[in-house]
Amino acid sequence: MAAPLQQRSTWTANRRVALIIGIVFTVIGLVGFFIAPGMAQRSLLGLDVDRVHNIVHLVTGLLGLIAAFTGWPRLFNQIFGVVYLVIGLAGLVYPAFYSHGMLFGVMHVNAVGHVFHLVVGVIAAYVGYFVHDYSRVEEPYARESQRRTY
């Protein structure tokens, strides 16, 4: 089922947020490969990154860009928001998710990264679930047909 034409052709709040997330995460993922091409932990603007973390950022960014331009930004923001909220909370609150100093035993993440994930997750989830993107489109003759004739 295709997304409504109105949502694909207008720059709604959900579309803007998905685009911004897409750009930021794609750039972080690409730059991360220059800073941390391997599994060694490196710092990118205070965030711990490694190869797996860069791939996750790159895939997330590309999905955000695809969603922004194919008509699915609201769904992307909802899913992305919930996933990143859970990841951010899990990393900060439940240390059992760490194995050998890596989140889920596969990638380096620090407290700055968890806070970043929480903030971005809150913004995406809020926009995805609570910001209304559709405006009421009135047809030019709708008023004429709704008038009562006596």
Side-chain angles (χ1 to χ4, degrees):
M1 179 196 286
L5 181 60
Q6 178 185 359
Q7 188 177 4
R8 279 189 268 156
S9 63
T10 58
W11 284 96
T12 62
N14 272 293
R15 191 171 181 200
R16 286 184 191 115
V17 168
L19 179 66
I20 291 168
I21 289 170
I23 291 169
V24 169
F25 276 75
T26 300
V27 168
I28 289 172
L30 291 173
V31 171
F33 280 114
F34 291 104
I35 293 171
M39 285 306 295
Q41 173 184 341
R42 300 283 189 258
S43 179
L44 172 63
L45 301 173
L47 305 168
D48 284 351
V49 294
D50 58 28
R51 180 183 305 142
V52 174
H53 206 159
N54 294 332
I55 291 169
V56 169
H57 284 153
L58 187 58
V59 169
T60 300
L62 292 175
L63 288 173
L65 292 173
I66 290 168
F69 291 107
T70 58
W72 297 101
R74 185 179 186 99
L75 181 63
F76 170 80
N77 289 336
Q78 290 170 342
I79 294 170
F80 172 87
V82 169
V83 168
Y84 271 70
L85 276 169
V86 169
I87 289 172
L89 285 172
L92 286 175
V93 177
Y94 197 61
F97 287 127
Y98 281 90
S99 175
H100 304 292
M102 295 191 289
L103 184 63
F104 304 121
V106 295
M107 65 182 162
H108 291 94
V109 184
N110 60 356
V112 174
H114 294 308
V115 171
F116 173 71
H117 295 147
L118 277 173
V119 169
V120 176
V122 165
I123 292 168
Y126 176 80
V127 172
Y129 285 104
F130 300 112
V131 174
H132 186 65
D133 279 342
Y134 303 99
S135 60
R136 183 175 170 197
V137 179
E138 280 194 38
E139 296 176 18
Y141 301 103
R143 293 185 193 146
E144 296 278 333
S145 64
Q146 291 175 355
R147 288 188 184 155
R148 294 182 185 195
T149 54
Y150 296 100

